[in-house]
Amino acid sequence: MKFRNLFNSLNFKYFITISLILSIIFTLIFYFFYNLQKKRLLDLVHQKAEVVVDQIILTRKWLSDMQGVFVIKKDGIEPNQYLQKPEISCGDTTLVLKDPAIVTKELSEYSKTRTLYSFRLTSEHIINPANAPDHVEKKALKLFKDKNIDQYSTIETINNRKVFRLLKPLYVDNSCLGCHFYQGYSLGELRGCFSIFIPMDKVISDIEKMKLHFLIAGIFIILFTTILIYFVNYFLTIKPITSLTNTLIRFKENMNTEINFLKRDDEIGNLQRNFISMAERIKQNYHLMEDEIKKATSELKKKDKAKTDFLATISHELRTPLTTIQGGIEYLFKVTKRDENIEFLTIVDNNLKNLILMVNNLLDIAKIELGKLELNLEPVNIKELVQDALIFFKGYSSQKNISIKYENPFDYTIKIDKNRINQVLINIIHNAIKYSPENKDIIIQMSKSQTFFTLTVSNNTYSEISIQDVGKFFIKYKYFATGSQKGSGIGLATAKAIMEAHKGDIKVKIIDKQKISFELIFRGIYD
């Protein structure tokens, strides 16, 4: 998570962006200057080769003008067999003629021993087979002849060594005709070319060193510049923004957070000043809203208390006459003999029970909202409590031809408020009968585990029940209807509040499209 936050931070993104930009810029710059320096070194080699070639050609021209030079014959000095008069005698001394070609060759061999450079002459009309042109010289001679260029250069590998090779054309002049007239040359004609080889070991070594120096310098400059820009940006931008962000977080948690003011006239300073101004306006609006909410809450509490007091009073006032009426109906049941009258009394009795149940629920809702609901806990056998509640609904269930099946009941004692839980059972069973179609069954089951005891009431419904409908069941005064039956949610809201007071709960499960169950769950209140 820390690495992810690091990668997503503005500081990291800025660092990576600057590093990439600087890397690209400095790479291009160093590449340009590297090639510039490399070209400069190669140009120096080229210039050196031109100077040497010019010197050798000048020396050769002087030798041609002089028709060669004579040297004293010694061991190792042999006359040139291709010359008409390769040697002459001068008294007791024999002089050997060194023509320009021989002198050029011997100078080349001599320079090789000093590891400076080497050179050679070649021609398309050779006298000595050793001077035959190689493939580079053939190419250069063709270019000299066809395109009339004044030189040709290349870099090639000879004996695993890099050498710079410069070739220049040689044209026939008057001094050349003195020795080569018999070969059919004419004045100004291309006779051959001069080829010089300059070793490039030192130049290549210098280029590699230069490349390494450029690379090290580039890496150092990029790192130094990136780090410098990073810290400058951190202290001028990132750090103030981070501080402002932390202030925003603290302000969100506590609007009385002190905001440290930075004396800056740039964009960061403007941002902070705007934030301070916004924070002040938020504080003012918050306090205004807080006062309004307090005032509205106080008024709502007064109205709610008045409503609750009214419900408690009216429910209490209704209870006495209803109880009196119920007593009168019970007396009439005892003295009435005619079946027709008993049928009418049963209808009146069922509706009176519904009315008493509603009044009791309203009274309990009022007590719950006022925080005056008291529990009188005592050990109660749940099996017997359910059986007593079912007697209450014999008449109501028979009107709709509904059968209530109490499956596999067993004795189980729980410490509860008997009257309150009985009220819960009456509400749940009453709703099950009310919202069930005629000729259906209501199933009541008991189950227990190590941690809780559950009483389940399952019934069918007139129409399909959705999850959204289930969420409305326990909202008091929330109108709900299924089929032709309507409900206000008061009974279920009261039942849920009573179960929660017993540290239990009520859950609704959708068994089928038109079948649901209510689970009364008891926890932590056993003997």
Side-chain angles (χ1 to χ4, degrees):
M1 190 66 180
K2 291 183 178 180
F3 286 107
R4 186 177 179 183
N5 292 335
L6 174 64
F7 295 150
N8 291 329
S9 66
L10 179 62
N11 212 11
F12 179 80
K13 292 176 181 177
Y14 186 84
F15 178 79
I16 294 299
T17 303
I18 290 297
S19 299
L20 289 174
I21 292 174
L22 288 177
S23 298
I24 293 171
I25 292 174
F26 281 109
T27 298
L28 293 174
I29 291 173
F30 288 134
Y31 181 76
F32 171 78
F33 281 104
Y34 166 74
N35 285 316
L36 193 66
Q37 288 296 101
K38 181 179 178 181
K39 184 176 180 302
R40 179 175 167 275
L41 290 174
L42 293 177
D43 287 344
L44 289 175
V45 174
H46 191 278
Q47 292 173 10
K48 177 182 177 181
E50 285 187 325
V51 170
V52 173
V53 168
D54 290 341
Q55 289 178 345
I56 295 172
I57 291 176
L58 184 62
T59 301
R60 178 181 170 79
K61 188 172 185 335
W62 179 81
L63 290 170
S64 297
D65 291 340
M66 297 295 106
Q67 298 296 314
V69 294
F70 286 96
V71 297
I72 299 172
K73 186 176 183 179
K74 333 178 183 181
D75 292 338
I77 298 177
E78 299 295 333
N80 187 349
Q81 58 181 340
Y82 299 103
L83 297 177
Q84 294 180 352
K85 293 182 179 180
E87 59 182 17
I88 59 174
S89 297
C90 186
D92 296 333
T93 303
T94 301
L95 300 176
V96 177
L97 178 61
K98 297 287 187 179
D99 64 312
I102 292 298
V103 173
T104 303
K105 180 180 178 181
E106 290 182 354
L107 283 174
S108 175
E109 296 296 330
Y110 183 75
S111 65
K112 279 184 183 179
T113 62
R114 304 298 296 270
T115 66
L116 297 174
Y117 51 82
S118 63
F119 52 88
R120 66 186 233 112
L121 297 174
T122 188
S123 172
E124 291 182 331
H125 307 287
I126 58 172
I127 299 175
N128 186 352
N131 294 330
D134 58 21
H135 69 284
V136 176
E137 291 165 335
K138 287 179 181 178
K139 180 180 179 181
L141 287 170
K142 190 173 185 310
L143 290 172
F144 296 150
K145 185 185 294 184
D146 296 342
K147 296 189 176 181
N148 199 29
I149 60 175
D150 60 352
Q151 61 176 270
Y152 174 76
S153 62
T154 182
I155 297 176
E156 58 184 4
T157 302
I158 300 176
N159 297 327
N160 295 323
R161 294 181 65 189
K162 290 284 186 181
V163 295
F164 177 81
R165 189 170 182 180
L166 179 65
L167 298 94
K168 281 198 170 186
L170 294 176
Y171 296 98
V172 176
D173 57 13
N174 291 324
S175 60
C176 295
L177 290 174
C179 295
H180 301 283
F181 67 92
Y182 63 90
Q183 291 179 287
Y185 287 114
S186 60
L187 190 64
E189 184 182 357
L190 179 67
R191 182 185 179 280
C193 70
F194 184 86
S195 183
I196 185 169
F197 304 85
I198 304 293
M200 294 192 65
D201 296 340
K202 188 174 184 309
V203 174
I204 292 174
S205 175
D206 291 342
I207 290 174
E208 291 300 320
K209 288 180 182 178
M210 180 180 67
K211 184 192 294 184
L212 179 62
H213 292 160
F214 269 112
L215 181 62
I216 294 173
I219 293 173
F220 174 78
I221 292 174
I222 289 172
L223 286 176
F224 178 78
T225 307
T226 301
I227 292 171
L228 181 63
I229 294 176
Y230 171 83
F231 279 105
V232 170
N233 176 70
Y234 175 78
F235 286 106
L236 292 180
T237 306
I238 303 299
K239 187 177 180 181
I241 290 177
T242 304
S243 176
L244 187 59
T245 302
N246 294 331
T247 303
L248 279 169
I249 295 171
R250 292 195 302 272
F251 180 79
K252 182 177 69 173
E253 296 172 351
N254 180 12
M255 285 195 299
N256 296 318
T257 300
E258 183 180 354
I259 303 174
N260 297 322
F261 183 75
L262 297 175
K263 296 181 179 179
R264 291 176 59 167
D265 296 326
D266 54 12
E267 290 82 356
I268 300 295
N270 290 334
L271 179 63
Q272 189 187 47
R273 283 189 289 273
N274 289 329
F275 167 70
I276 293 173
S277 176
M278 179 191 69
E280 291 300 324
R281 288 198 298 272
I282 290 174
K283 285 182 182 179
Q284 293 174 2
N285 293 333
Y286 174 78
H287 291 310
L288 289 174
M289 289 178 62
E290 194 176 43
D291 293 338
E292 292 294 329
I293 291 171
K294 285 180 179 178
K295 189 183 296 183
T297 303
S298 177
E299 292 177 359
L300 285 173
K301 284 181 178 179
K302 290 178 181 178
K303 291 179 180 179
D304 192 58
K305 187 176 184 302
K307 178 206 71 175
T308 303
D309 289 340
F310 171 76
L311 289 175
T313 302
I314 199 69
S315 299
H316 183 73
E317 293 296 328
L318 286 172
R319 213 181 229 183
T320 301
L322 288 174
T323 304
T324 302
I325 293 170
Q326 187 178 26
I329 290 174
E330 289 176 355
Y331 173 76
L332 289 174
F333 268 119
K334 293 178 181 179
V335 299
T336 301
K337 303 298 183 181
R338 294 175 59 185
D339 293 339
E340 183 180 354
N341 291 336
I342 291 175
E343 183 180 351
F344 285 119
L345 283 174
T346 302
I347 294 173
V348 173
D349 184 55
N350 287 334
N351 283 282
L352 181 62
K353 287 178 179 178
N354 289 338
L355 186 57
I356 292 173
L357 179 63
M358 185 180 295
V359 169
N360 288 335
N361 286 334
L362 285 171
L363 187 60
D364 287 334
I365 284 287
K367 288 181 178 180
I368 291 167
E369 290 180 348
L370 292 172
K372 295 181 179 179
L373 182 66
E374 297 179 357
L375 300 179
N376 182 22
L377 301 179
E378 58 180 325
V380 177
N381 188 313
I382 294 295
K383 173 185 173 182
E384 296 175 355
L385 185 64
V386 175
Q387 289 173 339
D388 292 340
L390 292 179
I391 296 173
F392 187 77
F393 292 103
K394 277 187 177 181
Y396 188 26
S397 61
S398 62
Q399 286 180 3
K400 299 179 70 174
N401 197 25
I402 291 175
S403 174
I404 302 177
K405 296 181 179 180
Y406 193 10
E407 294 185 348
N408 302 320
F410 55 88
D411 292 317
Y412 196 79
T413 302
I414 304 178
K415 200 171 184 181
I416 56 175
D417 187 317
K418 181 178 180 179
N419 293 330
R420 296 296 183 190
I421 297 301
N422 183 63
Q423 185 179 348
V424 172
L425 289 173
I426 290 173
N427 272 306
I428 296 298
I429 298 172
H430 176 269
N431 283 342
I433 297 171
K434 180 179 179 180
Y435 293 107
S436 289
E438 294 181 355
N439 304 312
K440 296 292 182 179
D441 294 336
I442 295 174
I443 309 298
I444 300 177
Q445 297 170 311
M446 299 171 64
S447 63
K448 63 178 180 178
S449 68
Q450 293 181 349
T451 55
F452 55 84
F453 170 82
T454 304
L455 185 67
T456 305
V457 179
S458 305
N459 65 280
N460 292 277
T461 60
Y462 284 100
S463 58
E464 186 175 334
I465 301 294
S466 67
I467 296 176
Q468 290 76 14
D469 294 331
V470 171
K472 302 174 185 176
F473 285 173
F474 301 101
I475 303 175
K476 60 183 179 181
Y477 314 125
K478 183 71 176 181
Y479 177 80
F480 179 77
T482 173
S484 61
Q485 301 298 323
K486 303 174 182 178
S488 63
I490 296 174
L492 287 178
T494 305
K496 188 172 180 64
I498 292 173
M499 288 299 298
E500 289 176 350
H502 281 79
K503 299 180 182 179
D505 196 5
I506 298 181
K507 290 186 178 180
V508 182
K509 289 186 177 180
I510 300 175
I511 301 173
D512 202 349
K513 289 183 178 180
Q514 288 183 259
K515 191 171 184 179
I516 62 172
S517 68
F518 285 81
E519 294 183 351
L520 277 62
I521 302 171
F522 298 87
R523 299 186 185 92
I525 50 176
Y526 317 119
D527 287 339

